[in-house]
Amino acid sequence: MTPKLEDVAKLAAVSKTTVSRVLNNRGYLSQKTIDKVHAAMAQLDYHPNVVARQLYKNQTNLIGILLPSVANPFFGELTDTLERLLYQAGYKVLIGNSMNDPQKEAAYLNQLLSRQVDGLIVGTHNQHIQAYQNPGLPVVAIDRVMNEDIPVIASDNYQGGQLATTHLIDRGAKKIIHTNGPEDLKTPAQRRRSAYETTMVAHGLTPITYTVDFNIAPSAKKAVFRQIFQEHPDVEAVFAANDVDAALIQQVAGEFGRQVPQDLMIVGYDGTNLMREVLPNLTTIVQPIEAMSKMALQVLTQRINKEPTEKEYILPVKLWPGQTG
Amino acid sequence: MTPKLEDVAKLAAVSKTTVSRVLNNRGYLSQKTIDKVHAAMAQLDYHPNVVARQLYKNQTNLIGILLPSVANPFFGELTDTLERLLYQAGYKVLIGNSMNDPQKEAAYLNQLLSRQVDGLIVGTHNQHIQAYQNPGLPVVAIDRVMNEDIPVIASDNYQGGQLATTHLIDRGAKKIIHTNGPEDLKTPAQRRRSAYETTMVAHGLTPITYTVDFNIAPSAKKAVFRQIFQEHPDVEAVFAANDVDAALIQQVAGEFGRQVPQDLMIVGYDGTNLMREVLPNLTTIVQPIEAMSKMALQVLTQRINKEPTEKEYILPVKLWPGQTG
């Protein structure tokens, strides 16, 4: 005979309400009570019909997070923060690391369309996935422009570009080179380039931007950074696309006999807790990961509830003064 | 009238088999076909009854990964690798970052017991969660001893402790201090301590281990590391619990006027791609994350299929020679 919820309550010597609260993870419960209920469930081989309940309610309480890779410090900290906030809001988190794999991203989107997740938070770098064109999808983008319909949460990349460039100019640098992603990739990060170029020109300086694909291997990135020193031996400062690249640039500078900051100033980007821990000397622009995550959750909730949203939510950044620039 | 699969096929001008393959993400499909089917699904507001199908098959194709935090480089790379392998094997990945939160971990375990996930991969640091005592659960542990029943995948921590200690002794250090997690936390990492102590004694040296809780803030860790230099000003080398701690120890050494490696040698642990990228000079023990992840998937599959498994799977580590020790 299939065991019932009341059998579990009886064996665990608690009320049916308590069993239900354990199953739904709701209200205050002592660890002892949770353990008693779990033990009774196991002893009776009781399995609450959660999947059937999801079917009835037409919601899964699952949110998918699609990012290039959690092994990257920025996306790792972003995922960590989003997971914590989503869990507090009653959601569990599915992750998809879709670096270089548009087919994988399409599969996750398919999962959304087939109602296996309630919403998606997307910050991938893949292009041309048509299904995002369906209007009104419960999707928000982080630091990535998907299309006209999907709201974007981003930090103020223009302000970040201005802060970094002005900081380097104030410290005496004239020949400042910037690294950024491919221009055809529509990310708000392109506004850093625009801010850098505008600020340089406003100071009578010549902007030079090197394109570095985020997705390539460190050895390939280093090859591009060596080009900077070969083609511009008089470079005085680099404003890097992210902190990991900044670390690689510092290593390449060493190969060319350049000391940082005496012979070369470097400003990074992202300012995650991890990178500020392991490279505390790196001057960088700090993205507000906590605030961006909170905003993503809020806007996604509005989309799920079919409430109107803005096209874009821009949050302020700040400069972390280190010793590299 | 509710749209049917054949309506989607008709509108997309493809066969029903093709629609089914798009829905199940199976076989070769061109991006164009996938997009056509998605567009037809959206236009008709068709929703395949995936949740109902899961209910029928009694499987969800979801695997939960419970780790302290993906913001940590080791757990970030481990999650990234596991997600890639699990996705290839037809699974999607739910993550729970349960650092310092046994109630959250219990909630995920509850999810397993209520059949919302097919299996769990656990590497958390929480103790005393009773539900793991249920025999035969489709659970594997990574680098963590849960109980007698749950198989453990770990790198060879004893070998790692021996390699690091012998390396420092070979390079002339006599006063070598080791940092490790609390002894009451049952992790295979405790075997590093044992290897360190045995190796030190075998060379007529005195082992000294400082306990540093993995979960505390960097500032609190630094306070412990300062104690090392205050209580043992003659310390010649530190064998650190992980690479992030190694970076913090190097910073603290700087505060005490110690240059690395001249005045202090340091060996780290974990050797993730990220840390070897940003701190290429750090000598460290490299855990085989790819091999551990493959083994975890294999053993978890055996558990799901109710096949017998070993208690422990130990994979070899290697030393990455840097310039810090």
Side-chain angles (χ1 to χ4, degrees), chain A residues 22 35 42 47 50 69 80 83 92-95 97 104 108 110 113 115-116 134 218 244 251 277, chain B residues 22 35 42 47 50 69 80 83 92-95 97 104 108 110 113 115-116 130 134 218 244 251 277:
Chain A
V22 170
D35 290 340
H47 299 289
V50 175
S69 165
D80 189 69
E83 191 272 345
K92 299 253 165 46
V93 167
L94 261 170
I95 56 161
N97 294 327
K104 188 167 175 183
Y108 279 99
N110 189 8
L113 294 170
R115 298 268 168 94
Q116 292 170 80
N134 298 323
V244 177
Q251 292 162 31
E277 239 174 85
Chain B
V22 170
D35 289 340
H47 299 291
V50 176
S69 165
D80 190 69
E83 191 272 344
K92 299 253 165 44
V93 167
L94 262 168
I95 56 161
N97 294 328
K104 188 167 173 182
Y108 278 98
N110 188 9
L113 294 171
R115 300 268 168 93
Q116 292 170 81
Q130 287 300 321
N134 298 323
V244 177
Q251 291 162 32
E277 238 175 87

Side-chain angles (χ1 to χ4, degrees), chain A residues 91-109:
Chain A
Y91 291 107
K92 299 253 165 46
V93 167
L94 261 170
I95 56 161
N97 294 327
S98 56
M99 202 160 194
N100 284 332
D101 191 348
Q103 193 155 11
K104 188 167 175 183
E105 181 165 344
Y108 279 99
L109 189 56

Side-chain angles (χ1 to χ4, degrees), chain A residues 133-153:
Chain A
Q133 307 298 338
N134 298 323
L137 286 180
V139 177
V140 301
I142 290 194
D143 225 13
R144 175 67 211 280
V145 179
M146 311 299 295
N147 62 45
E148 281 297 295
D149 179 57
I150 293 175
V152 180
I153 320 290

Side-chain angles (χ1 to χ4, degrees), chain A residues 196-244:
Chain A
Y196 155 77
E197 290 175 354
T198 307
T199 307
M200 289 292 279
V201 170
H203 285 80
L205 303 171
T206 309
I208 303 166
T209 302
Y210 273 71
T211 296
V212 187
D213 190 331
F214 175 81
N215 294 305
I216 62 176
S219 56
K221 286 188 178 182
K222 278 189 168 181
V224 177
F225 300 145
R226 280 185 198 107
Q227 271 181 40
I228 294 179
F229 292 94
Q230 283 154 358
E231 294 168 3
H232 301 278
D234 56 340
V235 57
E236 294 167 338
V238 179
F239 166 32
N242 59 65
D243 296 333
V244 177

Side-chain angles (χ1 to χ4, degrees), chain B residues 179-248:
Chain B
T179 70
N180 204 312
E183 270 189 280
D184 60 343
L185 189 67
K186 285 184 187 156
T187 68
Q190 291 297 344
R191 290 176 198 154
R192 285 179 220 167
R193 179 198 292 249
S194 158
Y196 156 78
E197 290 176 354
T198 306
T199 308
M200 289 292 279
V201 169
H203 285 79
L205 303 171
T206 309
I208 303 166
T209 302
Y210 274 71
T211 295
V212 186
D213 190 331
F214 176 81
N215 294 305
I216 62 177
S219 56
K221 286 187 178 184
K222 277 189 167 180
V224 177
F225 300 144
R226 280 186 199 107
Q227 270 181 40
I228 294 180
F229 293 94
Q230 282 154 359
E231 294 168 3
H232 301 279
D234 56 342
V235 58
E236 293 166 337
V238 179
F239 166 31
N242 58 66
D243 296 332
V244 177
D245 284 8
L248 297 177

Side-chain angles (χ1 to χ4, degrees), chain B residues 103-117:
Chain B
Q103 194 155 9
K104 188 167 173 182
E105 182 167 343
Y108 278 98
L109 189 55
N110 188 9
Q111 212 177 12
L112 174 71
L113 294 171
S114 58
R115 300 268 168 93
Q116 292 170 81
V117 295

